[in-house]
Amino acid sequence: MKIIRTVRGLRLWRKRHSSERLGLGFVPTMGAFHIGHQSLMQRARRSCETVVVSIFVNPLQFGPTEDLGEYPRPRQTDLALCRKEGVDVVFLPSRKEFYPPDFQSSVTVSRLGQHWEGAHRRTHFQGVTTVVTKLFNLVRPHRVYFGQKDYQQFCIIKQMVRDLHQGVDMVMCPTIRESDGLALSSRNGYLSSLARRTAPVLYHALHLGASSIRDGEKSSASVEALMQSYVQKASKAKIDYLAVCHAETLEPLQRAQGRMVLLGAVRLGKVRLIDNVLVKNQK
Ligand code: PAF
């Protein structure tokens, strides 16, 4: 496994390496790996000739009061996992290498980035689309792998790829969950033991909402009220949003019909959890 720390090094490697036959698969990450990341690497490994993973805690996607400083950085364990999963190249740039002092560009996806997470974390998605564009420009992948857990992020990057003709195939992989339903996240380690016990409440609420739609509920307001009252009864979590949305535009729906995504975010103490469930109802 090759570890590349510089932009120049990655460019040189990519110039020499043209895995055209089965393609180059790319897994962009911020490290602190869990089984969710591992499943992305495995999926890439199964379908691509070459697998590149990037590990970079991107400062542009953290707000001023967020956890950039504390974000876990277990580099040796992360690299060991990449080795185990047969990754070919790990791109591991420093902050200075990736954002030199005169860096001043950004990429914005306007409409999709305004709702939900975008409304709660104002500069987050611009930071994500900017770093992902830089990574795409350097790695030039054929296929890129993301988890469904960050559903809005996936939709925004997909839109960006389409709008900017970035020519990358986007693969969405299922959310990996603990046995009690909690979606794996590098930030779950911040949960106190009490918060950890109540954390699955978000997934259970979304699941309940999806079941009610499958059972014929057509009013999004009723589905949202059901999910809210579940969270309120089962925990002390503060709800940021629980919404029935169009699966592609992420616009809130009045009528629960067609391809939908139920999006949710709650706060348990200082920890913010997000999750989502896809549901379809053609009736
Ligand atoms: O999903 C993540 O881990 C990050 O947002 C990403 C896509 C690696 C960009 O920093």
Side-chain angles (χ1 to χ4, degrees):
M1 185 176 83
K2 210 173 163 60
I3 300 172
I4 301 180
R5 294 177 193 274
T6 62
V7 166
R8 187 165 170 274
L10 187 60
R11 273 196 203 287
L12 270 174
W13 174 82
R14 188 61 181 94
K15 212 165 152 186
R16 291 196 196 118
H17 199 94
S18 67
S19 42
E20 294 304 337
R21 203 171 57 87
L22 284 172
L24 194 158
F26 178 41
V27 183
T29 80
M30 299 208 298
F33 293 149
H34 49 65
I35 305 167
H37 295 107
Q38 203 173 351
S39 74
L40 302 181
M41 293 178 208
Q42 289 169 351
R43 180 85 183 263
R45 185 66 288 166
R46 278 201 300 276
S47 23
C48 302
E49 186 179 339
T50 306
V51 176
V52 177
V53 169
S54 65
I55 304 179
F56 180 63
V57 181
N58 172 35
L60 293 194
Q61 69 189 78
F62 288 76
T65 59
E66 294 183 18
D67 58 340
L68 174 63
E70 296 94 69
Y71 198 84
R73 292 164 170 85
R75 287 299 164 257
Q76 293 318 313
T77 341
D78 282 351
L79 290 172
L81 189 101
C82 292
R83 248 180 230 112
K84 176 166 174 271
E85 295 306 335
V87 168
D88 298 291
V89 173
V90 176
F91 180 48
L92 187 62
S94 67
R95 178 178 177 158
K96 215 165 112 205
E97 174 70 18
F98 213 55
Y99 294 120
D102 65 340
F103 182 82
Q104 41 192 304
S105 302
S106 60
V107 179
T108 311
V109 174
S110 50
R111 244 188 345 266
L112 271 172
Q114 275 166 12
H115 290 301
W116 318 121
E117 282 309 280
H120 289 269
R121 303 178 72 190
R122 289 279 169 198
T123 54
H124 174 68
F125 286 125
Q126 188 178 72
V128 171
T129 42
T130 302
V131 79
V132 170
T133 297
K134 279 165 71 68
L135 290 166
F136 284 180
N137 288 342
L138 290 169
V139 177
R140 289 189 281 123
H142 299 104
R143 240 166 276 146
V144 62
Y145 297 82
F146 292 98
Q148 186 189 324
K149 154 97 180 355
D150 297 303
Y151 187 81
Q152 188 176 7
Q153 167 175 282
F154 184 87
C155 295
I156 288 173
I157 297 174
K158 193 164 153 203
Q159 182 74 39
M160 172 184 85
V161 165
R162 202 182 311 140
D163 288 348
L164 304 183
H165 311 294
Q166 288 176 325
V168 183
D169 283 343
M170 301 268 303
V171 183
M172 186 168 78
C173 303
T175 303
I176 307 292
R177 300 182 181 280
E178 302 279 6
S179 55
D180 60 6
L182 176 65
L184 293 194
S185 159
S186 306
R187 290 183 169 109
N188 287 353
Y190 299 157
L191 290 164
S192 68
S193 54
L194 176 65
R196 171 61 193 85
R197 282 201 293 281
T198 41
V201 72
L202 174 57
Y203 174 61
H204 293 159
L206 294 168
H207 194 65
L208 189 68
S211 303
S212 81
I213 293 175
R214 285 191 204 101
D215 290 345
E217 179 59 71
K218 290 282 186 313
S219 152
S220 296
S222 305
V223 177
E224 287 165 8
L226 180 72
M227 297 192 290
Q228 276 165 17
S229 81
Y230 179 85
V231 170
Q232 281 155 358
K233 280 187 196 137
S235 72
K236 289 202 160 62
K238 305 262 180 315
I239 299 169
D240 277 350
Y241 57 84
L242 281 164
V244 180
C245 308
H246 187 282
E248 268 146 43
T249 64
L250 305 186
E251 295 291 333
L253 293 172
Q254 284 194 342
R255 231 177 124 68
Q257 202 164 24
R259 280 194 67 233
M260 292 157 273
V261 61
L262 308 191
L263 295 174
V266 300
R267 278 169 289 130
L268 275 168
K270 283 192 181 133
V271 185
R272 207 159 164 277
L273 303 172
I274 62 168
D275 205 343
N276 65 85
V277 168
L278 283 162
V279 54
K280 199 155 99 180
N281 191 356
Q282 301 298 1
K283 279 184 266 166

